[in-house]
Amino acid sequence: MQRIYTHNLRRMRITGLQMDIEWSSPRTNIQAAERLLEESEKSDLYVLPEMWSTGFAIDPRGIAESDDGTLQWMRRTSSRLDAALCGSLSIYTSEQYYNRHYFVFPDGTYEWYDKRHLFTPGHEDRYYTKGSSRTVVTWRDMRFLLQTCYDLRFPVWSRYAGDYDAIIYVANWPEARIGAWETLLRARAIENQSYVIGVNRVGRDPYKSYNGHSAIIGPKGEVLAERTEPTIGLISEEIDKATLLHFRDKFQILEDRDYR
């Protein structure tokens, strides 16, 4: 279900938090996120990486969060900042594991997207239940399609159907394949005439190393903001819905799109 707000804003500031994630330590990672939020300028939406509270736990047993402690922190922080907050968590609920991308609103409500394309080369599919539907949320006059990491490789799943203005990809995308990350973020923006926000982590976990390259891409494929250094920090940029709608109207390639 989409929300319609009365703010009627046409411009929105987005800030991504490029974090180093401490393995299986939600408390430490919450503290790290809080430090970055303190450094950030005022934004409408803050984006955290994939599984930002634990690291990318392919085998989530003993690591996934079975309560809603981190989600409650997201709700409190969203309210305090009067801004939306999103990022994915490794969740155990109803006797199943999910890589769940939460989008939290300042009023305490939230929506979520369960990752559809589980990373089969790393055996994520052995433990997690894949999602069955797309999720589009509306926040301050902007519509966001929620996606997670490996989803980036599958363009049909994110194909524009008149339902969103920006795609959010949260990720633990490894350094060895960072060239694909950069190329595919721009491709998804160009083919869908959409803003794309990609927030990746840095540092190491027990399996891989990560070097960030978080970015905000415009609907022509132009890089509006990026952090290519393999360091902790922020990316921030305003996105403009009026400019987006004007471009889509002027250059109507989406009328010729395929759906599969």
Side-chain angles (χ1 to χ4, degrees):
M1 181 178 68
Q2 294 188 2
R3 285 171 173 73
I4 304 298
Y5 288 85
T6 59
H7 297 78
N8 199 32
L9 297 182
R10 307 302 282 181
R11 299 178 66 87
M12 175 179 290
R13 178 159 292 278
I14 313 291
T15 294
L17 282 66
Q18 183 166 287
M19 298 174 57
D20 186 356
I21 301 171
E22 184 74 17
W23 185 253
S24 187
S25 182
R27 181 183 297 274
T28 300
N29 294 316
I30 285 173
Q31 292 171 347
E34 287 177 338
R35 287 192 294 270
L36 281 172
L37 289 169
E38 288 174 0
E39 297 174 9
S40 172
E41 58 184 302
K42 174 64 177 173
S43 297
D44 299 283
L45 170 62
Y46 298 91
V47 183
L48 296 150
E50 179 184 25
M51 292 195 194
W52 67 271
S53 70
T54 58
F56 185 54
I58 289 177
D59 182 350
R61 293 172 297 183
I63 294 177
E65 299 190 57
S66 58
D67 59 29
D68 60 357
T70 301
L71 177 59
Q72 291 304 319
W73 175 84
M74 293 177 73
R75 295 175 72 187
R76 291 193 302 271
T77 302
S78 176
S79 176
R80 176 173 61 83
L81 297 174
D82 188 30
L85 194 67
C86 73
S88 95
L89 303 175
S90 177
I91 294 294
Y92 181 70
T93 181
S94 302
E95 300 185 347
Q96 295 184 85
Y97 294 100
Y98 295 94
N99 186 342
R100 182 162 288 177
H101 185 164
Y102 285 104
F103 194 103
V104 180
F105 301 90
D107 64 3
T109 60
Y110 55 87
E111 298 182 38
W112 71 77
Y113 161 71
D114 289 331
K115 186 178 181 181
R116 171 69 172 182
H117 296 96
L118 302 175
F119 188 56
T120 53
H123 309 303
E124 185 183 11
D125 59 313
R126 291 184 181 179
Y127 300 98
Y128 290 88
T129 300
K130 71 178 181 179
S132 59
S133 60
R134 301 201 319 178
T135 299
V136 175
V137 300
T138 300
W139 169 235
R140 292 182 175 170
D141 200 37
M142 296 291 292
R143 301 169 300 167
F144 296 93
L145 174 68
L146 305 185
Q147 301 273 275
T148 303
C149 202
Y150 193 44
D151 287 325
L152 180 61
R153 290 187 177 271
F154 303 95
V156 174
W157 187 239
S158 63
R159 184 74 74 239
Y160 177 72
D163 54 348
Y164 65 80
D165 308 304
I167 312 173
I168 300 173
Y169 289 99
V170 299
N172 273 212
W173 198 283
E175 181 177 4
R177 296 186 287 275
I178 204 65
W181 163 261
E182 293 181 306
T183 300
L184 292 172
L185 286 177
R186 294 187 67 192
R188 297 295 86 83
I190 293 167
E191 69 196 13
N192 295 299
Q193 291 187 307
S194 169
Y195 289 106
V196 169
I197 300 102
V199 177
N200 193 26
R201 66 161 293 181
V202 296
R204 294 190 61 87
D205 65 18
Y207 308 101
K208 300 288 184 182
S209 62
Y210 307 87
N211 63 340
H213 289 246
S214 300
I216 299 173
I217 312 295
K220 299 177 183 179
E222 70 276 29
V223 178
L224 302 177
E226 63 181 340
R227 190 174 186 88
T228 58
E229 303 88 352
T231 55
I232 297 167
L234 302 165
I235 59 167
S236 189
E237 186 58 65
E238 280 193 344
I239 62 175
D240 185 347
K241 186 168 182 177
T243 298
L244 172 68
L245 295 177
H246 176 74
F247 175 56
R248 284 177 171 173
D249 183 62
K250 182 179 179 181
F251 191 45
Q252 297 185 18
I253 61 168
L254 294 173
E255 297 302 314
D256 301 319
R257 63 190 179 274
D258 299 311
Y259 291 97
R260 62 179 181 178

